[in-house]
Amino acid sequence: MSISRPTVRAAADAPFLVAARGGLPSRRPVWIMRQAGRYLPEYRAVRQTRTFLQMCYDADAATEVTLQPIRRYGLDAAILFTDLLVPVPPMGIELAFDPAPVLKRTVRTRADVDALRVPDPERDFAPMLATAAQVRAALSPDVALIGFVGAPFTVACYLVEGKGSKNWDLARRLLHGEPATFDALLAKITDALLPLVQALADAGCDAVQVFDSWAGVLAAGDYVKRCAPWTERLLAAARQRGAIAIDYVNGATQHVAAMADSCAEVLAVDWRSDLGFFRRQVPATKALQGNLDPTALFASEADLRSQVRACCDAAGPAGHVFNLGHGVLPETDPDQVRIAVDEARRAWP
Amino acid sequence: MSISRPTVRAAADAPFLVAARGGLPSRRPVWIMRQAGRYLPEYRAVRQTRTFLQMCYDADAATEVTLQPIRRYGLDAAILFTDLLVPVPPMGIELAFDPAPVLKRTVRTRADVDALRVPDPERDFAPMLATAAQVRAALSPDVALIGFVGAPFTVACYLVEGKGSKNWDLARRLLHGEPATFDALLAKITDALLPLVQALADAGCDAVQVFDSWAGVLAAGDYVKRCAPWTERLLAAARQRGAIAIDYVNGATQHVAAMADSCAEVLAVDWRSDLGFFRRQVPATKALQGNLDPTALFASEADLRSQVRACCDAAGPAGHVFNLGHGVLPETDPDQVRIAVDEARRAWP
């Protein structure tokens, strides 16, 4: 299958792109992590007749749910509906969502690592790339399209443990106990994801976000030496293809120095950190994205508005993309999201 | 039952006490979080015929397992064998370990909070206080005894959710969504734990560590305003009774400013943070405790020694108590713990 090359892209003055390059856009750009999700009734309607993975592999369904929050809230960026584990089956490991991810095998030895396959994007990720092209064609030029992949460490966590874990002790034990195997695993995952990052950019994504959802369990030194260099290769690949690189590290505070050194234009900050602290610690050229606590969407309207304002004030007007610091929770009232979006745009010079 | 008042205490020049007060002791003091635990065969032998909670309530068994790691490794501090949820049943909620804690009821409304009882330490915690007195009497004066309680936020997490959780979303939703109920809950837990802190100090504990195991899920601002003030009352109570106050916050990096402002003499740092960063951010009068990654105990001897040395070098010789940054894992080889203890003591001016 040949991937259609999009003729449209977000315009250079789209609020998301201006802010991502550190500038002062016409309004504060807003998008919401996991904005295409179960908190929306229109999402649940599409989801009702399909499994989560079926939706990821169905370009029309994925396009529809990707566009839903743009229609509802007029957001400044769409994020491709997919999952950071979608590359795992083409690497040779069966995957189910129950509803949390469960892998049929784990990867703990050098032989396990060597047995992993490197997917061919145009063959193995055709639905995802088709979704990107369709969504980009449907979006107006003032809205950016964001594609994403998991960071090598985060994907490694699932491959090593086979399912979710609180502290990912087995993954950290492999890092310390079998360093050569751990490094080979991250190299293999990077080999698998790098062509996907390039293909996403080529298929129409204006930006690629690398999700390091589990880097928060790592000591600062281990992250810098053993994990960040692999993430860096994915971020650099996005930039080389002309896409904005966004580095999201969940549990970011101890990794602020490493994030400051990354080549990403945008650092996406989890909800735990103070954005003012990040502003002081990272180069002024870097944009910040985030970082309201998703549970703040359960507060009263006055409290919610006050917290959104505090977040925007800490980030400042230029080079800030308002977002949550983690995915929106399924139990969230969609009207509370509207209030947060409204307040983020209201706080404008 | 009347609690026997101990006639012995750790000596003023015990390495732990000197370091805890910011000084340069005769050797670098070492203890290991969860040192009385399943990684030790002598612990498993005692545990075989009892449940975990039975051991907490049996002063002789608790005394024995508290002393085991002191005998094996010659550590500088014993930590009372108990659990931070031991106060929950006397507050009126049944508790089981399966093996993770499961509460019979949750606490989510104002009525639930009002129904919680405030325990009477000498009646409800008699075995724990008897253990403290027995252990203190058995220890030599150069070894300190540490008692502990959970931080109000961490105990609240369990009361709200009823069992473990990855991000404690329900607890954070209560913080934002029902602020008066959340505050009343933390006030009630503080009322319950404050007399226990005092009783532990009176029963022979040279130090009391407050474990905020789950504060890492909190935004920095929420921790400062809504949670740290309650922890502070417990730390102050320990100090008022002449015990060293140790503030352990797991996921501490975003809370470093709050920890720097606490009245604790010792800040116990989880494994994620760089101790050098803490040294630069907190007053020089405060001692630091920590913070090797527990999974570093699965590394080769050379790697393990190098990581212990890096940790000790970052902390400096004065005012440092070497420890892990979290509890030792059950699968740990006890000989690896011996290597870490040896290396921490070797790195000495």
Side-chain angles (χ1 to χ4, degrees), chain A residues 70-133:
Chain A
I70 311 303
R71 286 188 209 117
R72 184 186 268 258
Y73 300 118
L75 298 167
D76 297 286
I79 182 158
L80 208 57
F81 182 83
T82 181
D83 190 85
L84 58 86
L85 295 182
V86 162
V88 166
M91 291 179 79
I93 296 186
E94 269 188 82
L95 171 71
F97 283 83
D98 183 31
V102 183
L103 279 65
K104 287 282 160 67
R105 295 194 280 120
T106 57
V107 179
R108 296 181 185 175
T109 67
R110 185 59 194 249
D112 293 340
V113 173
D114 291 342
L116 289 172
R117 293 199 300 268
V118 170
D120 168 16
E122 303 224 345
R123 181 191 65 209
D124 294 318
F125 303 125
M128 195 195 300
L129 301 175
T131 305

Side-chain angles (χ1 to χ4, degrees), chain A residues 172 216-217 220 271-272 293 295, chain B residues 172 176 216-217 220 271-272 293:
Chain A
R172 281 161 45 237
V217 302
W271 77 91
R272 302 167 186 85
D293 185 334
T295 64
Chain B
R172 282 161 46 239
H176 290 292
V217 302
W271 78 90
R272 301 168 188 87
D293 185 333

Side-chain angles (χ1 to χ4, degrees), chain A residues 271-272 293, chain B residues 153 157 166-168 172 214-219 254:
Chain A
W271 77 91
R272 302 167 186 85
D293 185 334
Chain B
F153 174 70
C157 280
K166 201 172 63 185
N167 285 324
W168 303 97
R172 282 161 46 239
W214 302 117
V217 302
L218 290 168
Q254 76 268 31

